[in-house]
Amino acid sequence: MSPPASTFPYLAALLVLMPGAVLGQRPSPQPGEAPGWAPIEIGAHIGFDSDGFTDAFVLGAQLRVPVWPSGHVEVVPNGSITFRSRLKDYELAPDLVVVTGGRGGGLYLGGGPLWLNTIFDGPDRATELGWSFVVGLRSSRVFGAPFGTQIQLRQSYVADFRRRRVLSLGVNFPLWGRRESARAR
């Protein structure tokens, strides 16, 4: 018999709020890996939005905040502006993502709520709440440069299942410290 679905949020909260003594049981860092928490990163992205009706240019920014010291779980608050002909859409999404390679990058996936401000059905702008799912690939460094890159696909569902698909490319800069590849020199 499996536990009821209502217990899963409590288990997730328990894992996030796990005491430091338990976190200390994880393996020691690999040679060349920076100790402590993965750094917070700030970044920008540029992309292409296709909602099934029109195509548009997207420009945005994100903050990648590690929830786990290794960087395997991140909160990624991000915002973007979609430039359509004679209309701008504004989007805000605080995503929770899991990164397979932690601070070293790799495949990531996650999602969360999304607020979209645009003209939906009438002449006035409105803000609607929806959901988005993201999948992407990120690197921690590019050929020794002080930044990492990402490519991401976001699928959003807002206001009566209006679907939006955004493919974007981005760069991320750590706010402090050096990455493991910089320490390996």
Side-chain angles (χ1 to χ4, degrees):
M1 184 166 111
S2 64
S6 62
T7 61
F8 290 117
Y10 297 109
L11 291 174
L14 179 65
L15 289 175
V16 170
L17 301 173
M18 197 173 287
V22 175
L23 290 176
Q25 301 303 317
R26 70 183 181 99
S28 62
Q30 298 296 321
E33 184 180 332
W37 283 79
I40 294 174
E41 297 178 353
I42 188 167
H45 59 267
I46 186 171
F48 181 75
D49 179 3
S50 173
D51 65 2
F53 302 108
T54 60
D55 297 327
F57 173 72
V58 177
L59 185 61
Q62 70 269 350
L63 191 64
R64 301 187 80 96
V65 182
V67 174
W68 205 258
S70 63
H72 281 91
V73 179
E74 296 176 331
V75 173
V76 186
N78 62 85
S80 62
I81 301 173
T82 303
F83 298 91
R84 301 187 186 287
S85 61
R86 296 174 290 179
L87 177 66
K88 291 180 188 169
D89 295 346
Y90 302 96
E91 188 175 286
L92 181 64
D95 297 324
L96 180 65
V97 298
V98 175
V99 184
T100 59
R103 72 179 70 212
L107 179 70
Y108 65 90
L109 50 100
L114 172 121
W115 288 270
L116 176 65
N117 180 277
T118 190
I119 297 175
F120 289 96
D121 291 325
D124 298 328
R125 292 184 82 72
T127 300
E128 295 281 340
L129 173 63
W131 295 95
S132 67
F133 302 97
V134 295
V135 62
L137 188 61
R138 67 182 294 242
S139 67
S140 63
R141 301 197 50 112
V142 178
F143 303 113
F147 60 86
T149 59
Q150 72 181 34
I151 182 168
Q152 174 178 283
L153 178 63
R154 174 182 299 279
Q155 177 72 50
S156 303
Y157 301 94
V158 182
D160 297 330
F161 298 103
R162 180 178 289 189
R163 292 181 294 177
R164 302 164 58 89
R165 285 174 226 92
V166 176
L167 178 63
S168 63
L169 299 170
V171 294
N172 298 298
F173 296 89
L175 293 182
W176 69 77
R178 297 185 305 180
R179 303 266 180 118
E180 58 273 7
S181 58
R183 291 183 176 268
R185 290 183 199 169

